[in-house]
mmCIF file of all heavy atoms in Angstrom:
data_model
loop_
_atom_site.group_PDB
_atom_site.id
_atom_site.type_symbol
_atom_site.label_atom_id
_atom_site.label_comp_id
_atom_site.label_asym_id
_atom_site.label_seq_id
_atom_site.Cartn_x
_atom_site.Cartn_y
_atom_site.Cartn_z
ATOM 1 N N ILE A 224 -21.844 -16.693 30.522
ATOM 2 C CA ILE A 224 -21.416 -15.384 31.013
ATOM 3 C C ILE A 224 -22.612 -14.442 31.106
ATOM 4 O O ILE A 224 -22.756 -13.687 32.079
ATOM 5 C CB ILE A 224 -20.314 -14.795 30.105
ATOM 6 C CG1 ILE A 224 -19.035 -15.617 30.246
ATOM 7 C CG2 ILE A 224 -20.034 -13.335 30.429
ATOM 8 C CD1 ILE A 224 -17.960 -15.281 29.233
ATOM 9 N N PHE A 225 -23.493 -14.470 30.129
ATOM 10 C CA PHE A 225 -24.690 -13.629 30.144
ATOM 11 C C PHE A 225 -25.582 -13.953 31.339
ATOM 12 O O PHE A 225 -26.062 -13.058 32.039
ATOM 13 C CB PHE A 225 -25.456 -13.782 28.829
ATOM 14 C CG PHE A 225 -26.749 -13.014 28.794
ATOM 15 C CD1 PHE A 225 -26.745 -11.643 28.616
ATOM 16 C CD2 PHE A 225 -27.972 -13.670 28.952
ATOM 17 C CE1 PHE A 225 -27.931 -10.929 28.595
ATOM 18 C CE2 PHE A 225 -29.166 -12.963 28.934
ATOM 19 C CZ PHE A 225 -29.142 -11.588 28.754
ATOM 20 N N VAL A 226 -25.808 -15.236 31.579
ATOM 21 C CA VAL A 226 -26.669 -15.652 32.696
ATOM 22 C C VAL A 226 -26.037 -15.241 34.022
ATOM 23 O O VAL A 226 -26.722 -14.708 34.911
ATOM 24 C CB VAL A 226 -26.936 -17.173 32.646
ATOM 25 C CG1 VAL A 226 -27.604 -17.655 33.922
ATOM 26 C CG2 VAL A 226 -27.795 -17.507 31.440
ATOM 27 N N LEU A 227 -24.747 -15.454 34.188
ATOM 28 C CA LEU A 227 -24.072 -15.055 35.421
ATOM 29 C C LEU A 227 -24.125 -13.532 35.601
ATOM 30 O O LEU A 227 -24.348 -13.040 36.706
ATOM 31 C CB LEU A 227 -22.628 -15.540 35.428
ATOM 32 C CG LEU A 227 -22.428 -17.044 35.608
ATOM 33 C CD1 LEU A 227 -20.952 -17.398 35.468
ATOM 34 C CD2 LEU A 227 -22.968 -17.498 36.952
ATOM 35 N N GLY A 228 -23.905 -12.803 34.502
ATOM 36 C CA GLY A 228 -23.989 -11.344 34.569
ATOM 37 C C GLY A 228 -25.379 -10.884 34.945
ATOM 38 O O GLY A 228 -25.550 -9.939 35.723
ATOM 39 N N LEU A 229 -26.383 -11.534 34.412
ATOM 40 C CA LEU A 229 -27.765 -11.190 34.735
ATOM 41 C C LEU A 229 -28.053 -11.446 36.210
ATOM 42 O O LEU A 229 -28.705 -10.637 36.883
ATOM 43 C CB LEU A 229 -28.725 -11.996 33.850
ATOM 44 C CG LEU A 229 -30.206 -11.681 33.957
ATOM 45 C CD1 LEU A 229 -30.460 -10.222 33.576
ATOM 46 C CD2 LEU A 229 -31.011 -12.597 33.058
ATOM 47 N N LEU A 230 -27.540 -12.542 36.727
ATOM 48 C CA LEU A 230 -27.753 -12.853 38.145
ATOM 49 C C LEU A 230 -26.996 -11.896 39.062
ATOM 50 O O LEU A 230 -27.511 -11.462 40.087
ATOM 51 C CB LEU A 230 -27.332 -14.297 38.442
ATOM 52 C CG LEU A 230 -28.211 -15.386 37.841
ATOM 53 C CD1 LEU A 230 -27.586 -16.754 38.101
ATOM 54 C CD2 LEU A 230 -29.609 -15.321 38.419
ATOM 55 N N VAL A 231 -25.772 -11.560 38.700
ATOM 56 C CA VAL A 231 -24.944 -10.724 39.559
ATOM 57 C C VAL A 231 -25.325 -9.257 39.444
ATOM 58 O O VAL A 231 -25.480 -8.550 40.447
ATOM 59 C CB VAL A 231 -23.443 -10.924 39.235
ATOM 60 C CG1 VAL A 231 -22.588 -9.928 39.994
ATOM 61 C CG2 VAL A 231 -23.018 -12.346 39.565
ATOM 62 N N LEU A 232 -25.483 -8.763 38.224
ATOM 63 C CA LEU A 232 -25.699 -7.332 38.013
ATOM 64 C C LEU A 232 -27.171 -6.941 38.007
ATOM 65 O O LEU A 232 -27.518 -5.804 38.304
ATOM 66 C CB LEU A 232 -25.059 -6.893 36.696
ATOM 67 C CG LEU A 232 -23.535 -7.058 36.607
ATOM 68 C CD1 LEU A 232 -23.074 -6.739 35.209
ATOM 69 C CD2 LEU A 232 -22.838 -6.178 37.625
ATOM 70 N N GLY A 233 -27.992 -7.828 37.586
ATOM 71 C CA GLY A 233 -29.409 -7.494 37.499
ATOM 72 C C GLY A 233 -29.741 -6.956 36.120
ATOM 73 O O GLY A 233 -28.880 -6.559 35.338
ATOM 74 N N PRO A 234 -31.033 -6.927 35.790
ATOM 75 C CA PRO A 234 -31.455 -6.513 34.454
ATOM 76 C C PRO A 234 -31.265 -5.019 34.181
ATOM 77 O O PRO A 234 -31.197 -4.609 33.028
ATOM 78 C CB PRO A 234 -32.930 -6.896 34.397
ATOM 79 C CG PRO A 234 -33.367 -7.026 35.803
ATOM 80 C CD PRO A 234 -32.149 -7.382 36.603
ATOM 81 N N GLU A 235 -31.139 -4.197 35.214
ATOM 82 C CA GLU A 235 -30.987 -2.757 34.970
ATOM 83 C C GLU A 235 -29.569 -2.394 34.545
ATOM 84 O O GLU A 235 -29.366 -1.555 33.676
ATOM 85 C CB GLU A 235 -31.342 -1.943 36.238
ATOM 86 C CG GLU A 235 -32.787 -2.041 36.669
ATOM 87 C CD GLU A 235 -33.002 -3.252 37.571
ATOM 88 O OE1 GLU A 235 -32.035 -3.690 38.235
ATOM 89 O OE2 GLU A 235 -34.124 -3.775 37.594
ATOM 90 N N ARG A 236 -28.581 -3.012 35.189
ATOM 91 C CA ARG A 236 -27.195 -2.634 34.921
ATOM 92 C C ARG A 236 -26.534 -3.483 33.835
ATOM 93 O O ARG A 236 -25.517 -3.084 33.278
ATOM 94 C CB ARG A 236 -26.375 -2.737 36.206
ATOM 95 C CG ARG A 236 -26.697 -1.613 37.176
ATOM 96 C CD ARG A 236 -25.739 -1.626 38.312
ATOM 97 N NE ARG A 236 -26.096 -2.741 39.210
ATOM 98 C CZ ARG A 236 -25.368 -3.149 40.236
ATOM 99 N NH1 ARG A 236 -24.236 -2.550 40.504
ATOM 100 N NH2 ARG A 236 -25.761 -4.139 40.989
ATOM 101 N N LEU A 237 -27.056 -4.637 33.529
ATOM 102 C CA LEU A 237 -26.420 -5.537 32.558
ATOM 103 C C LEU A 237 -26.259 -4.896 31.172
ATOM 104 O O LEU A 237 -25.174 -5.002 30.587
ATOM 105 C CB LEU A 237 -27.194 -6.855 32.456
ATOM 106 C CG LEU A 237 -26.558 -7.905 31.538
ATOM 107 C CD1 LEU A 237 -25.185 -8.307 32.062
ATOM 108 C CD2 LEU A 237 -27.454 -9.118 31.419
ATOM 109 N N PRO A 238 -27.257 -4.220 30.596
ATOM 110 C CA PRO A 238 -27.058 -3.616 29.273
ATOM 111 C C PRO A 238 -25.939 -2.561 29.268
ATOM 112 O O PRO A 238 -25.156 -2.483 28.319
ATOM 113 C CB PRO A 238 -28.403 -2.968 28.942
ATOM 114 C CG PRO A 238 -29.394 -3.705 29.763
ATOM 115 C CD PRO A 238 -28.666 -4.103 31.009
ATOM 116 N N ARG A 239 -25.877 -1.767 30.347
ATOM 117 C CA ARG A 239 -24.833 -0.746 30.436
ATOM 118 C C ARG A 239 -23.445 -1.392 30.510
ATOM 119 O O ARG A 239 -22.506 -0.966 29.837
ATOM 120 C CB ARG A 239 -25.072 0.107 31.680
ATOM 121 C CG ARG A 239 -24.850 1.548 31.445
ATOM 122 C CD ARG A 239 -25.201 2.371 32.654
ATOM 123 N NE ARG A 239 -25.993 1.589 33.642
ATOM 124 C CZ ARG A 239 -26.174 1.926 34.887
ATOM 125 N NH1 ARG A 239 -25.666 3.044 35.333
ATOM 126 N NH2 ARG A 239 -26.881 1.195 35.706
ATOM 127 N N VAL A 240 -23.317 -2.431 31.314
ATOM 128 C CA VAL A 240 -22.039 -3.137 31.451
ATOM 129 C C VAL A 240 -21.671 -3.820 30.138
ATOM 130 O O VAL A 240 -20.509 -3.794 29.713
ATOM 131 C CB VAL A 240 -22.103 -4.154 32.615
ATOM 132 C CG1 VAL A 240 -20.868 -5.036 32.637
ATOM 133 C CG2 VAL A 240 -22.264 -3.429 33.938
ATOM 134 N N ALA A 241 -22.644 -4.431 29.480
ATOM 135 C CA ALA A 241 -22.385 -5.092 28.193
ATOM 136 C C ALA A 241 -21.908 -4.082 27.161
ATOM 137 O O ALA A 241 -20.983 -4.354 26.379
ATOM 138 C CB ALA A 241 -23.639 -5.806 27.700
ATOM 139 N N ARG A 242 -22.523 -2.897 27.144
ATOM 140 C CA ARG A 242 -22.120 -1.841 26.218
ATOM 141 C C ARG A 242 -20.675 -1.406 26.507
ATOM 142 O O ARG A 242 -19.857 -1.247 25.600
ATOM 143 C CB ARG A 242 -23.077 -0.660 26.313
ATOM 144 C CG ARG A 242 -22.819 0.407 25.272
ATOM 145 C CD ARG A 242 -23.815 1.570 25.349
ATOM 146 N NE ARG A 242 -25.182 1.135 25.622
ATOM 147 C CZ ARG A 242 -25.869 1.448 26.727
ATOM 148 N NH1 ARG A 242 -25.316 2.200 27.657
ATOM 149 N NH2 ARG A 242 -27.104 1.019 26.893
ATOM 150 N N THR A 243 -20.353 -1.225 27.780
ATOM 151 C CA THR A 243 -19.007 -0.805 28.171
ATOM 152 C C THR A 243 -17.976 -1.868 27.796
ATOM 153 O O THR A 243 -16.911 -1.558 27.255
ATOM 154 C CB THR A 243 -18.944 -0.533 29.690
ATOM 155 O OG1 THR A 243 -19.941 0.432 30.023
ATOM 156 C CG2 THR A 243 -17.593 -0.023 30.094
ATOM 157 N N VAL A 244 -18.295 -3.115 28.060
ATOM 158 C CA VAL A 244 -17.385 -4.211 27.696
ATOM 159 C C VAL A 244 -17.214 -4.261 26.181
ATOM 160 O O VAL A 244 -16.102 -4.476 25.669
ATOM 161 C CB VAL A 244 -17.896 -5.556 28.258
ATOM 162 C CG1 VAL A 244 -17.125 -6.724 27.667
ATOM 163 C CG2 VAL A 244 -17.807 -5.562 29.769
ATOM 164 N N GLY A 245 -18.269 -4.058 25.445
ATOM 165 C CA GLY A 245 -18.176 -4.030 23.984
ATOM 166 C C GLY A 245 -17.290 -2.899 23.486
ATOM 167 O O GLY A 245 -16.507 -3.070 22.544
ATOM 168 N N GLN A 246 -17.385 -1.733 24.117
ATOM 169 C CA GLN A 246 -16.527 -0.611 23.736
ATOM 170 C C GLN A 246 -15.069 -0.923 24.034
ATOM 171 O O GLN A 246 -14.186 -0.623 23.224
ATOM 172 C CB GLN A 246 -16.964 0.662 24.469
ATOM 173 C CG GLN A 246 -18.272 1.221 23.975
ATOM 174 C CD GLN A 246 -18.766 2.382 24.848
ATOM 175 O OE1 GLN A 246 -18.267 2.624 25.925
ATOM 176 N NE2 GLN A 246 -19.786 3.084 24.341
ATOM 177 N N TRP A 247 -14.807 -1.507 25.200
ATOM 178 C CA TRP A 247 -13.428 -1.869 25.539
ATOM 179 C C TRP A 247 -12.878 -2.895 24.543
ATOM 180 O O TRP A 247 -11.738 -2.807 24.121
ATOM 181 C CB TRP A 247 -13.355 -2.438 26.939
ATOM 182 C CG TRP A 247 -13.544 -1.440 28.043
ATOM 183 C CD1 TRP A 247 -13.553 -0.086 27.945
ATOM 184 C CD2 TRP A 247 -13.775 -1.745 29.416
ATOM 185 N NE1 TRP A 247 -13.767 0.485 29.164
ATOM 186 C CE2 TRP A 247 -13.905 -0.519 30.100
ATOM 187 C CE3 TRP A 247 -13.887 -2.922 30.139
ATOM 188 C CZ2 TRP A 247 -14.134 -0.449 31.470
ATOM 189 C CZ3 TRP A 247 -14.108 -2.851 31.506
ATOM 190 C CH2 TRP A 247 -14.231 -1.624 32.153
ATOM 191 N N THR A 248 -13.709 -3.855 24.192
ATOM 192 C CA THR A 248 -13.293 -4.872 23.224
ATOM 193 C C THR A 248 -12.989 -4.228 21.872
ATOM 194 O O THR A 248 -11.996 -4.562 21.223
ATOM 195 C CB THR A 248 -14.387 -5.936 23.065
ATOM 196 O OG1 THR A 248 -14.696 -6.485 24.344
ATOM 197 C CG2 THR A 248 -13.951 -7.046 22.135
ATOM 198 N N GLY A 249 -13.836 -3.302 21.456
ATOM 199 C CA GLY A 249 -13.588 -2.604 20.186
ATOM 200 C C GLY A 249 -12.301 -1.803 20.217
ATOM 201 O O GLY A 249 -11.537 -1.795 19.248
ATOM 202 N N ARG A 250 -12.048 -1.128 21.330
ATOM 203 C CA ARG A 250 -10.805 -0.369 21.451
ATOM 204 C C ARG A 250 -9.595 -1.288 21.423
ATOM 205 O O ARG A 250 -8.585 -0.988 20.794
ATOM 206 C CB ARG A 250 -10.803 0.442 22.744
ATOM 207 C CG ARG A 250 -11.720 1.627 22.711
ATOM 208 C CD ARG A 250 -11.691 2.364 24.025
ATOM 209 N NE ARG A 250 -12.718 3.403 24.049
ATOM 210 C CZ ARG A 250 -13.137 3.997 25.147
ATOM 211 N NH1 ARG A 250 -12.619 3.672 26.324
ATOM 212 N NH2 ARG A 250 -14.070 4.919 25.079
ATOM 213 N N ALA A 251 -9.703 -2.410 22.126
ATOM 214 C CA ALA A 251 -8.591 -3.370 22.144
ATOM 215 C C ALA A 251 -8.317 -3.895 20.736
ATOM 216 O O ALA A 251 -7.156 -4.000 20.315
ATOM 217 C CB ALA A 251 -8.905 -4.519 23.094
ATOM 218 N N LYS A 252 -9.375 -4.209 19.993
ATOM 219 C CA LYS A 252 -9.194 -4.664 18.616
ATOM 220 C C LYS A 252 -8.553 -3.580 17.763
ATOM 221 O O LYS A 252 -7.701 -3.858 16.910
ATOM 222 C CB LYS A 252 -10.532 -5.082 18.000
ATOM 223 C CG LYS A 252 -11.049 -6.392 18.499
ATOM 224 C CD LYS A 252 -12.362 -6.756 17.821
ATOM 225 C CE LYS A 252 -12.914 -8.060 18.323
ATOM 226 N NZ LYS A 252 -14.180 -8.414 17.663
ATOM 227 N N GLY A 253 -8.955 -2.335 17.984
ATOM 228 C CA GLY A 253 -8.357 -1.222 17.248
ATOM 229 C C GLY A 253 -6.882 -1.074 17.550
ATOM 230 O O GLY A 253 -6.068 -0.851 16.640
ATOM 231 N N TYR A 254 -6.515 -1.206 18.812
ATOM 232 C CA TYR A 254 -5.098 -1.115 19.180
ATOM 233 C C TYR A 254 -4.292 -2.249 18.564
ATOM 234 O O TYR A 254 -3.183 -2.043 18.074
ATOM 235 C CB TYR A 254 -4.936 -1.123 20.700
ATOM 236 C CG TYR A 254 -5.449 0.113 21.387
ATOM 237 C CD1 TYR A 254 -6.124 0.019 22.593
ATOM 238 C CD2 TYR A 254 -5.267 1.380 20.844
ATOM 239 C CE1 TYR A 254 -6.606 1.145 23.238
ATOM 240 C CE2 TYR A 254 -5.753 2.512 21.479
ATOM 241 C CZ TYR A 254 -6.413 2.392 22.668
ATOM 242 O OH TYR A 254 -6.887 3.503 23.298
#
Side-chain angles (χ1 to χ4, degrees):
I224 292 170
F225 176 76
V226 170
L227 288 175
L229 185 60
L230 291 174
V231 173
L232 298 173
E235 295 87 26
R236 287 189 285 172
L237 184 62
R239 222 175 346 164
V240 171
R242 187 178 320 116
T243 304
V244 169
Q246 289 173 348
W247 288 348
T248 304
R250 287 179 188 164
K252 286 181 181 180
Y254 291 140

